[in-house]
Amino acid sequence: MLQNKEARREVYLEDRIKFEYNIILIGFMGTGKSSVSRYLNENYKMQEIDVDQLIVEKEGMEIADIFQSRGEEYFRDCESAILETLLQQRKSIISCGGGIVLRKKNIELMKENGKIILLTGKPETILQRVKDNTERPILNGNMNTTFIEELMEKRRNHYEKAADLVVETDGKTIKEVAEEIISRLIQE
Ligand code: S3P
């Protein structure tokens, strides 16, 4: 059995990854979803799809501007609409915005269409990673661990309900997180 697993792993690594399903990355802002997605795209030749990026392209506006001019609900509607268009997608890395789990329907759609990987991080880690970035409207004016911790706590249930696999990112490089995802998926 172990031998089989090892053999399968070698084939995967030689040939680069051939998962038949989508790998869907979720998690709080600053957990590294987009960076991990980019790493997997560059190193494993998997197609990369970034939900936030698709919203920006479709709306012709940055996320912060969408929040400011149309409001959060409008942004959430865009998010759900984009997710629906990804239904036919296969063998891709789909990186989602941190709030995608807030709608139950989004979780159902993701569950039907891939393996959901939850990236986690401590509030202190998140703050270090996001503190110099002004492109996240939810954190603008709220750049502190208390706010991050409270929001994380409010969302915890949603994230945990959605996740097929949880990968902690504290103290790990993007490469380490990405390789951990691949090796845990192969070992399943
Ligand atoms: C959000 C996270 C952001 C982006 C938007 C809202 C959230 O994406 O979708 O600013 O509600 O957590 P990242 O998680 O990629 O920063």
Side-chain angles (χ1 to χ4, degrees), residues 112-173:
E112 284 164 20
N113 289 285
K115 285 261 184 217
I116 307 180
I117 318 295
L118 170 63
L119 302 186
T120 65
K122 292 187 183 125
E124 296 75 16
T125 308
I126 300 296
L127 182 65
Q128 280 311 309
R129 293 181 186 156
V130 301
K131 65 179 180 357
D132 298 323
N133 187 302
T134 53
E135 285 163 21
R136 293 186 175 91
I138 291 189
L139 293 181
N140 288 344
N142 295 314
M143 272 307 172
N144 58 78
T145 46
T146 309
F147 179 86
I148 291 172
E149 195 167 2
E150 280 174 11
L151 186 58
M152 220 180 239
E153 209 42 53
K154 273 192 207 146
R155 291 182 173 181
R156 183 181 302 281
N157 249 341
H158 301 272
Y159 284 132
E160 287 176 356
K161 230 180 250 166
D164 292 314
L165 198 75
V166 183
V167 176
E168 288 173 16
T169 70
D170 297 292
K172 295 177 189 164
T173 63

Side-chain angles (χ1 to χ4, degrees), residues 85-128:
T85 68
L86 301 179
L87 280 178
Q88 304 86 353
Q89 211 64 47
R90 286 289 172 271
K91 306 180 186 179
S92 300
I93 310 283
I94 303 177
S95 161
C96 303
I100 199 120
V101 293
L102 295 175
R103 290 189 178 173
K104 206 168 145 227
K105 173 82 179 143
N106 292 349
I107 297 184
E108 288 164 9
L109 278 178
M110 291 190 291
K111 284 232 178 264
E112 284 164 20
N113 289 285
K115 285 261 184 217
I116 307 180
I117 318 295
L118 170 63
L119 302 186
T120 65
K122 292 187 183 125
E124 296 75 16
T125 308
I126 300 296
L127 182 65
Q128 280 311 309

Side-chain angles (χ1 to χ4, degrees), residues 51-63 66:
V51 174
D52 276 354
Q53 191 53 41
L54 291 178
I55 297 173
V56 168
E57 282 165 22
K58 183 160 175 287
E59 295 298 308
M61 248 191 277
E62 293 304 321
I63 306 275
I66 301 175

Side-chain angles (χ1 to χ4, degrees), residues 6-42:
E6 281 307 308
R8 252 168 57 212
R9 184 179 159 79
E10 272 168 31
V11 170
Y12 276 118
L13 293 180
E14 254 175 44
D15 258 2
R16 289 339 209 168
I17 296 302
K18 289 204 172 64
F19 294 116
E20 291 302 314
Y21 46 80
N22 295 317
I23 296 178
I24 305 178
L25 300 177
I26 63 166
F28 201 82
M29 295 166 273
T31 46
K33 296 162 296 205
S34 302
S35 308
V36 167
S37 168
R38 197 172 321 120
Y39 178 92
L40 292 173
N41 167 261
E42 284 166 6

